Amino acid sequence: LPANPSLLVGAGDDAAVLELTQRQGCVVTVDMLTEGVDFVLSQVSPRRVGRKSLAVNLSDLAAMAARPVTAVVALALPRIGGLELAKELYEGLIPLAEQYGIAIAGGDTNTWDGPLVISVTALGETTSHGPLKRSGAQPGDAIIVTGQFGGSILGHQFDFEPRVAEALALAANFALHAGIDVSDGLSLDLWRMAKESGCGAVIDLNKVPIAQAAVTLANSGDDGDTPLAHALADGEDFELILAVPPDAAERLLAEQPLACGCTRIGEFIAEPGLWQLDAARGRLPLVPRGFEHRMEK
Ligand SMILES: [Mg+2]
């Protein structure tokens, strides 16, 4: 297992011990994937599920501009075939942990008669720039996104690269006011960010970077959605939305420091709500769409 200097006692003892130095904040995030809800094992290999279970957490650490340190893994395995399943999950998870230099500090494994459940808790540390929150966007800030959007169901939802290095590089070199990673849909997560910040957001729909997968999905078209509709509403892009003050945004866009690209898709405004630019009428309301877990009584 990969080591991390912050992990003083790792897997194998009753609990792990972390050294938190320099009063840096410890950033904690957890994500649970359940078979039948988040994936179907007849359609995806356990390796990719294992990789994703850690990658989604790394994406949340990236959203906070935090450096990953360690993670713990909780598994509920089906009684039949559970051992082989666990092995394959780790074969997907460990290489990603190694890639990001994080140690797996421990975990817990149960068996039961239900489906596979994998829950990963990741811990990270903030840098000297502090945590990047959702709530810091100010009117006038540019809305800057990494990468491209839509069609993640065609494979990106499992194979995406969490934007950890990108977030750390941007936070180190540019003034960032707020950030979020897109797990539920570009328009929905942007709307949440604006709401948390007590302001609104207006998108220039012509500027939204559309993934090739969104085009493919639209062309295969059983639902009649356009590539843009997919880009705005499909979940699990795991790209970043950032609020960047105008001067920094201008420099960032000129320098283009990331291989995945950065695009300005609009700006935060004082008036609450989500809006789209309209050439004739200024701006029009835009309904935030995306994935929301259903709750029933
Ligand atoms: Mg998130």
Short mmCIF file of all heavy atoms in Angstrom, two decimals, residues 71-123:
data_model
loop_
_atom_site.label_atom_id
_atom_site.label_comp_id
_atom_site.label_asym_id
_atom_site.label_seq_id
_atom_site.Cartn_x
_atom_site.Cartn_y
_atom_site.Cartn_z
N ALA A 71 -7.29 7.69 3.02
CA ALA A 71 -8.68 7.28 2.87
C ALA A 71 -8.92 6.00 3.64
O ALA A 71 -8.00 5.22 3.87
CB ALA A 71 -9.01 7.07 1.39
N VAL A 72 -10.15 5.80 4.08
CA VAL A 72 -10.56 4.52 4.69
C VAL A 72 -11.74 3.97 3.88
O VAL A 72 -12.52 4.72 3.31
CB VAL A 72 -10.94 4.68 6.18
CG1 VAL A 72 -9.71 4.97 7.01
CG2 VAL A 72 -12.00 5.76 6.38
N VAL A 73 -11.80 2.65 3.85
CA VAL A 73 -12.74 1.97 2.95
C VAL A 73 -13.67 1.05 3.74
O VAL A 73 -13.19 0.18 4.46
CB VAL A 73 -11.97 1.12 1.92
CG1 VAL A 73 -12.94 0.43 0.96
CG2 VAL A 73 -10.98 1.98 1.14
N ALA A 74 -14.97 1.23 3.62
CA ALA A 74 -15.94 0.33 4.24
C ALA A 74 -16.68 -0.44 3.15
O ALA A 74 -17.18 0.15 2.19
CB ALA A 74 -16.93 1.12 5.09
N LEU A 75 -16.70 -1.75 3.29
CA LEU A 75 -17.32 -2.62 2.28
C LEU A 75 -18.41 -3.47 2.91
O LEU A 75 -18.20 -4.08 3.96
CB LEU A 75 -16.28 -3.58 1.70
CG LEU A 75 -15.24 -3.06 0.71
CD1 LEU A 75 -14.27 -4.19 0.36
CD2 LEU A 75 -15.93 -2.54 -0.53
N ALA A 76 -19.56 -3.54 2.27
CA ALA A 76 -20.55 -4.57 2.58
C ALA A 76 -20.60 -5.47 1.36
O ALA A 76 -21.01 -5.04 0.27
CB ALA A 76 -21.91 -3.95 2.86
N LEU A 77 -20.11 -6.69 1.52
CA LEU A 77 -19.98 -7.61 0.39
C LEU A 77 -21.11 -8.63 0.39
O LEU A 77 -21.51 -9.11 1.45
CB LEU A 77 -18.66 -8.38 0.49
CG LEU A 77 -17.37 -7.56 0.42
CD1 LEU A 77 -16.18 -8.42 0.84
CD2 LEU A 77 -17.17 -7.01 -0.99
N PRO A 78 -21.62 -8.96 -0.81
CA PRO A 78 -22.57 -10.07 -0.87
C PRO A 78 -21.87 -11.35 -0.42
O PRO A 78 -20.68 -11.53 -0.69
CB PRO A 78 -22.95 -10.13 -2.36
CG PRO A 78 -21.88 -9.38 -3.08
CD PRO A 78 -21.31 -8.39 -2.13
N ARG A 79 -22.59 -12.22 0.30
CA ARG A 79 -22.00 -13.42 0.86
C ARG A 79 -21.36 -14.32 -0.21
O ARG A 79 -20.32 -14.91 0.00
CB ARG A 79 -23.05 -14.22 1.64
CG ARG A 79 -22.72 -14.36 3.10
CD ARG A 79 -23.79 -15.15 3.83
NE ARG A 79 -24.83 -14.29 4.37
CZ ARG A 79 -24.68 -13.56 5.48
NH1 ARG A 79 -23.55 -13.58 6.15
NH2 ARG A 79 -25.67 -12.80 5.93
N ILE A 80 -22.03 -14.37 -1.37
CA ILE A 80 -21.52 -15.25 -2.44
C ILE A 80 -20.63 -14.44 -3.38
O ILE A 80 -21.05 -13.42 -3.93
CB ILE A 80 -22.70 -15.90 -3.21
CG1 ILE A 80 -23.49 -16.78 -2.24
CG2 ILE A 80 -22.19 -16.69 -4.41
CD1 ILE A 80 -24.75 -17.38 -2.80
N GLY A 81 -19.40 -14.89 -3.52
CA GLY A 81 -18.46 -14.23 -4.43
C GLY A 81 -17.86 -12.95 -3.88
O GLY A 81 -17.18 -12.21 -4.59
N GLY A 82 -18.10 -12.69 -2.61
CA GLY A 82 -17.67 -11.43 -2.00
C GLY A 82 -16.16 -11.23 -1.96
O GLY A 82 -15.66 -10.13 -2.19
N LEU A 83 -15.44 -12.32 -1.69
CA LEU A 83 -13.99 -12.22 -1.54
C LEU A 83 -13.32 -11.80 -2.85
O LEU A 83 -12.47 -10.91 -2.88
CB LEU A 83 -13.43 -13.56 -1.05
CG LEU A 83 -12.16 -13.48 -0.23
CD1 LEU A 83 -12.39 -12.66 1.04
CD2 LEU A 83 -11.64 -14.87 0.12
N GLU A 84 -13.74 -12.47 -3.92
CA GLU A 84 -13.18 -12.15 -5.25
C GLU A 84 -13.54 -10.71 -5.64
O GLU A 84 -12.72 -9.97 -6.18
CB GLU A 84 -13.75 -13.14 -6.29
CG GLU A 84 -13.24 -12.94 -7.70
CD GLU A 84 -11.73 -13.09 -7.82
OE1 GLU A 84 -11.10 -13.78 -6.98
OE2 GLU A 84 -11.18 -12.49 -8.76
N LEU A 85 -14.74 -10.31 -5.28
CA LEU A 85 -15.22 -8.96 -5.55
C LEU A 85 -14.34 -7.93 -4.85
O LEU A 85 -13.90 -6.94 -5.44
CB LEU A 85 -16.67 -8.85 -5.06
CG LEU A 85 -17.59 -7.82 -5.66
CD1 LEU A 85 -17.55 -7.86 -7.17
CD2 LEU A 85 -19.02 -8.05 -5.16
N ALA A 86 -14.05 -8.19 -3.58
CA ALA A 86 -13.23 -7.27 -2.79
C ALA A 86 -11.85 -7.12 -3.42
O ALA A 86 -11.30 -6.02 -3.52
CB ALA A 86 -13.11 -7.77 -1.36
N LYS A 87 -11.30 -8.25 -3.85
CA LYS A 87 -9.96 -8.24 -4.46
C LYS A 87 -9.96 -7.33 -5.70
O LYS A 87 -9.08 -6.50 -5.88
CB LYS A 87 -9.58 -9.68 -4.83
CG LYS A 87 -8.12 -9.88 -5.13
CD LYS A 87 -7.81 -11.36 -5.37
CE LYS A 87 -6.83 -11.50 -6.51
NZ LYS A 87 -7.40 -11.93 -7.77
N GLU A 88 -10.98 -7.50 -6.52
CA GLU A 88 -11.03 -6.72 -7.76
C GLU A 88 -11.30 -5.23 -7.50
O GLU A 88 -10.77 -4.37 -8.19
CB GLU A 88 -12.09 -7.30 -8.70
CG GLU A 88 -11.65 -8.62 -9.32
CD GLU A 88 -12.70 -9.18 -10.27
OE1 GLU A 88 -13.15 -8.42 -11.15
OE2 GLU A 88 -13.08 -10.35 -10.11
N LEU A 89 -12.13 -4.95 -6.50
CA LEU A 89 -12.38 -3.55 -6.14
C LEU A 89 -11.06 -2.86 -5.79
O LEU A 89 -10.77 -1.75 -6.25
CB LEU A 89 -13.33 -3.46 -4.94
CG LEU A 89 -14.80 -3.81 -5.20
CD1 LEU A 89 -15.54 -3.99 -3.88
CD2 LEU A 89 -15.49 -2.73 -6.03
N TYR A 90 -10.25 -3.55 -4.98
CA TYR A 90 -8.97 -2.97 -4.57
C TYR A 90 -8.00 -2.85 -5.74
O TYR A 90 -7.14 -1.96 -5.76
CB TYR A 90 -8.37 -3.77 -3.42
CG TYR A 90 -8.89 -3.30 -2.07
CD1 TYR A 90 -9.87 -4.02 -1.39
CD2 TYR A 90 -8.43 -2.11 -1.52
CE1 TYR A 90 -10.36 -3.58 -0.17
CE2 TYR A 90 -8.92 -1.66 -0.29
CZ TYR A 90 -9.88 -2.40 0.37
OH TYR A 90 -10.37 -1.95 1.57
N GLU A 91 -8.13 -3.74 -6.71
CA GLU A 91 -7.25 -3.66 -7.89
C GLU A 91 -7.54 -2.39 -8.70
O GLU A 91 -6.70 -1.93 -9.47
CB GLU A 91 -7.42 -4.90 -8.78
CG GLU A 91 -6.68 -6.11 -8.21
CD GLU A 91 -7.00 -7.39 -8.98
OE1 GLU A 91 -7.75 -7.33 -9.99
OE2 GLU A 91 -6.51 -8.43 -8.54
N GLY A 92 -8.73 -1.85 -8.54
CA GLY A 92 -9.04 -0.58 -9.18
C GLY A 92 -8.69 0.61 -8.30
O GLY A 92 -8.28 1.67 -8.78
N LEU A 93 -8.87 0.41 -7.00
CA LEU A 93 -8.71 1.51 -6.05
C LEU A 93 -7.24 1.84 -5.76
O LEU A 93 -6.85 3.01 -5.72
CB LEU A 93 -9.45 1.11 -4.76
CG LEU A 93 -9.74 2.15 -3.70
CD1 LEU A 93 -11.00 1.76 -2.92
CD2 LEU A 93 -8.60 2.31 -2.74
N ILE A 94 -6.43 0.78 -5.57
CA ILE A 94 -5.04 0.99 -5.14
C ILE A 94 -4.20 1.80 -6.14
O ILE A 94 -3.49 2.73 -5.74
CB ILE A 94 -4.35 -0.36 -4.81
CG1 ILE A 94 -5.05 -1.03 -3.62
CG2 ILE A 94 -2.86 -0.19 -4.54
CD1 ILE A 94 -4.91 -0.30 -2.31
N PRO A 95 -4.29 1.49 -7.45
CA PRO A 95 -3.47 2.28 -8.39
C PRO A 95 -3.81 3.77 -8.35
O PRO A 95 -2.92 4.61 -8.49
CB PRO A 95 -3.81 1.67 -9.75
CG PRO A 95 -4.26 0.29 -9.45
CD PRO A 95 -4.96 0.36 -8.12
N LEU A 96 -5.08 4.09 -8.15
CA LEU A 96 -5.46 5.50 -8.07
C LEU A 96 -4.89 6.13 -6.78
O LEU A 96 -4.42 7.27 -6.80
CB LEU A 96 -6.99 5.65 -8.10
CG LEU A 96 -7.49 7.08 -8.25
CD1 LEU A 96 -7.14 7.65 -9.63
CD2 LEU A 96 -9.00 7.17 -8.01
N ALA A 97 -4.95 5.38 -5.69
CA ALA A 97 -4.36 5.86 -4.43
C ALA A 97 -2.87 6.13 -4.63
O ALA A 97 -2.34 7.15 -4.19
CB ALA A 97 -4.59 4.85 -3.31
N GLU A 98 -2.20 5.21 -5.31
CA GLU A 98 -0.75 5.37 -5.57
C GLU A 98 -0.49 6.60 -6.41
O GLU A 98 0.42 7.37 -6.16
CB GLU A 98 -0.20 4.13 -6.28
CG GLU A 98 0.05 3.00 -5.31
CD GLU A 98 0.40 1.68 -5.99
OE1 GLU A 98 0.20 1.57 -7.23
OE2 GLU A 98 0.87 0.78 -5.29
N GLN A 99 -1.32 6.77 -7.43
CA GLN A 99 -1.17 7.91 -8.33
C GLN A 99 -1.21 9.24 -7.58
O GLN A 99 -0.50 10.18 -7.92
CB GLN A 99 -2.28 7.85 -9.38
CG GLN A 99 -2.17 8.88 -10.48
CD GLN A 99 -3.39 8.83 -11.40
OE1 GLN A 99 -4.03 7.79 -11.56
NE2 GLN A 99 -3.74 9.96 -11.98
N TYR A 100 -2.05 9.30 -6.55
CA TYR A 100 -2.21 10.55 -5.80
C TYR A 100 -1.43 10.55 -4.49
O TYR A 100 -1.59 11.46 -3.67
CB TYR A 100 -3.70 10.85 -5.57
CG TYR A 100 -4.32 11.33 -6.86
CD1 TYR A 100 -4.91 10.43 -7.75
CD2 TYR A 100 -4.25 12.67 -7.24
CE1 TYR A 100 -5.43 10.85 -8.96
CE2 TYR A 100 -4.76 13.10 -8.45
CZ TYR A 100 -5.36 12.19 -9.30
OH TYR A 100 -5.85 12.62 -10.51
N GLY A 101 -0.59 9.52 -4.30
CA GLY A 101 0.28 9.48 -3.12
C GLY A 101 -0.49 9.42 -1.82
O GLY A 101 -0.06 9.96 -0.80
N ILE A 102 -1.65 8.79 -1.82
CA ILE A 102 -2.40 8.69 -0.57
C ILE A 102 -2.36 7.26 -0.05
O ILE A 102 -2.32 6.29 -0.80
CB ILE A 102 -3.86 9.19 -0.69
CG1 ILE A 102 -4.73 8.19 -1.42
CG2 ILE A 102 -3.91 10.53 -1.36
CD1 ILE A 102 -6.19 8.56 -1.34
N ALA A 103 -2.34 7.16 1.26
CA ALA A 103 -2.33 5.86 1.92
C ALA A 103 -3.76 5.44 2.22
O ALA A 103 -4.60 6.27 2.52
CB ALA A 103 -1.55 5.98 3.23
N ILE A 104 -4.02 4.13 2.11
CA ILE A 104 -5.30 3.62 2.60
C ILE A 104 -5.08 3.26 4.07
O ILE A 104 -4.34 2.35 4.41
CB ILE A 104 -5.75 2.38 1.81
CG1 ILE A 104 -5.86 2.71 0.30
CG2 ILE A 104 -7.09 1.87 2.34
CD1 ILE A 104 -6.84 3.81 -0.05
N ALA A 105 -5.70 4.04 4.96
CA ALA A 105 -5.39 3.96 6.39
C ALA A 105 -6.13 2.83 7.08
O ALA A 105 -5.87 2.56 8.25
CB ALA A 105 -5.71 5.29 7.07
N GLY A 106 -7.03 2.17 6.40
CA GLY A 106 -7.75 1.08 7.03
C GLY A 106 -9.15 0.99 6.49
O GLY A 106 -9.48 1.60 5.47
N GLY A 107 -9.97 0.20 7.18
CA GLY A 107 -11.34 0.05 6.71
C GLY A 107 -12.05 -1.06 7.45
O GLY A 107 -11.57 -1.56 8.47
N ASP A 108 -13.19 -1.41 6.94
CA ASP A 108 -14.01 -2.44 7.57
C ASP A 108 -14.74 -3.20 6.48
O ASP A 108 -15.19 -2.59 5.50
CB ASP A 108 -15.02 -1.77 8.53
CG ASP A 108 -15.70 -2.80 9.41
OD1 ASP A 108 -15.13 -3.90 9.59
OD2 ASP A 108 -16.80 -2.50 9.93
N THR A 109 -14.79 -4.51 6.62
CA THR A 109 -15.45 -5.33 5.61
C THR A 109 -16.46 -6.26 6.28
O THR A 109 -16.12 -6.99 7.20
CB THR A 109 -14.42 -6.18 4.83
OG1 THR A 109 -13.47 -5.29 4.22
CG2 THR A 109 -15.08 -6.99 3.76
N ASN A 110 -17.70 -6.18 5.82
CA ASN A 110 -18.76 -7.08 6.30
C ASN A 110 -19.30 -7.89 5.13
O ASN A 110 -19.14 -7.50 3.99
CB ASN A 110 -19.92 -6.29 6.90
CG ASN A 110 -19.51 -5.56 8.17
OD1 ASN A 110 -18.56 -5.96 8.84
ND2 ASN A 110 -20.22 -4.49 8.48
N THR A 111 -19.94 -9.00 5.43
CA THR A 111 -20.70 -9.70 4.39
C THR A 111 -22.16 -9.73 4.82
O THR A 111 -22.48 -9.70 6.01
CB THR A 111 -20.21 -11.15 4.20
OG1 THR A 111 -20.26 -11.82 5.45
CG2 THR A 111 -18.80 -11.18 3.66
N TRP A 112 -23.02 -9.76 3.83
CA TRP A 112 -24.46 -9.81 4.11
C TRP A 112 -25.21 -10.36 2.91
O TRP A 112 -24.57 -10.67 1.89
CB TRP A 112 -24.97 -8.43 4.55
CG TRP A 112 -25.02 -7.37 3.48
CD1 TRP A 112 -24.16 -7.20 2.44
CD2 TRP A 112 -26.01 -6.35 3.36
NE1 TRP A 112 -24.51 -6.11 1.68
CE2 TRP A 112 -25.66 -5.57 2.22
CE3 TRP A 112 -27.15 -6.00 4.10
CZ2 TRP A 112 -26.43 -4.48 1.82
CZ3 TRP A 112 -27.90 -4.91 3.68
CH2 TRP A 112 -27.55 -4.16 2.56
N ASP A 113 -26.52 -10.44 3.02
CA ASP A 113 -27.32 -10.99 1.92
C ASP A 113 -27.73 -9.94 0.90
O ASP A 113 -28.43 -10.23 -0.06
CB ASP A 113 -28.57 -11.69 2.47
CG ASP A 113 -28.20 -12.94 3.25
OD1 ASP A 113 -27.25 -13.63 2.81
OD2 ASP A 113 -28.83 -13.23 4.29
N GLY A 114 -27.31 -8.70 1.13
CA GLY A 114 -27.68 -7.62 0.22
C GLY A 114 -26.65 -7.43 -0.89
O GLY A 114 -25.71 -8.21 -1.02
N PRO A 115 -26.83 -6.37 -1.68
CA PRO A 115 -25.91 -6.08 -2.77
C PRO A 115 -24.61 -5.44 -2.27
O PRO A 115 -24.51 -5.07 -1.09
CB PRO A 115 -26.69 -5.08 -3.62
CG PRO A 115 -27.56 -4.37 -2.64
CD PRO A 115 -27.91 -5.37 -1.58
N LEU A 116 -23.67 -5.30 -3.17
CA LEU A 116 -22.39 -4.66 -2.83
C LEU A 116 -22.59 -3.18 -2.48
O LEU A 116 -23.25 -2.44 -3.20
CB LEU A 116 -21.44 -4.76 -4.03
CG LEU A 116 -20.16 -3.95 -3.95
CD1 LEU A 116 -19.25 -4.48 -2.83
CD2 LEU A 116 -19.42 -3.96 -5.28
N VAL A 117 -22.02 -2.79 -1.35
CA VAL A 117 -21.97 -1.37 -0.98
C VAL A 117 -20.52 -1.03 -0.67
O VAL A 117 -19.86 -1.76 0.07
CB VAL A 117 -22.84 -1.07 0.27
CG1 VAL A 117 -22.79 0.42 0.59
CG2 VAL A 117 -24.28 -1.52 0.05
N ILE A 118 -20.03 0.04 -1.27
CA ILE A 118 -18.67 0.48 -0.97
C ILE A 118 -18.69 1.95 -0.59
O ILE A 118 -19.23 2.78 -1.30
CB ILE A 118 -17.70 0.19 -2.15
CG1 ILE A 118 -16.30 0.72 -1.84
CG2 ILE A 118 -18.21 0.73 -3.48
CD1 ILE A 118 -15.22 0.17 -2.77
N SER A 119 -18.16 2.22 0.59
CA SER A 119 -18.13 3.59 1.08
C SER A 119 -16.70 3.98 1.39
O SER A 119 -16.01 3.29 2.15
CB SER A 119 -18.99 3.70 2.35
OG SER A 119 -18.83 4.98 2.93
N VAL A 120 -16.25 5.05 0.77
CA VAL A 120 -14.88 5.51 1.00
C VAL A 120 -14.93 6.89 1.67
O VAL A 120 -15.71 7.75 1.26
CB VAL A 120 -14.09 5.60 -0.32
CG1 VAL A 120 -12.70 6.19 -0.09
CG2 VAL A 120 -13.96 4.21 -0.96
N THR A 121 -14.14 7.03 2.71
CA THR A 121 -13.97 8.33 3.37
C THR A 121 -12.56 8.80 3.09
O THR A 121 -11.60 8.07 3.35
CB THR A 121 -14.18 8.21 4.89
OG1 THR A 121 -15.49 7.72 5.13
CG2 THR A 121 -14.01 9.56 5.57
N ALA A 122 -12.42 9.97 2.53
CA ALA A 122 -11.09 10.50 2.22
C ALA A 122 -10.80 11.71 3.09
O ALA A 122 -11.71 12.48 3.44
CB ALA A 122 -10.99 10.88 0.75
N LEU A 123 -9.54 11.85 3.47
CA LEU A 123 -9.10 13.00 4.24
C LEU A 123 -8.02 13.74 3.47
O LEU A 123 -7.16 13.12 2.86
CB LEU A 123 -8.56 12.58 5.61
CG LEU A 123 -9.60 12.02 6.56
CD1 LEU A 123 -9.70 10.51 6.43
CD2 LEU A 123 -9.28 12.41 8.00
#
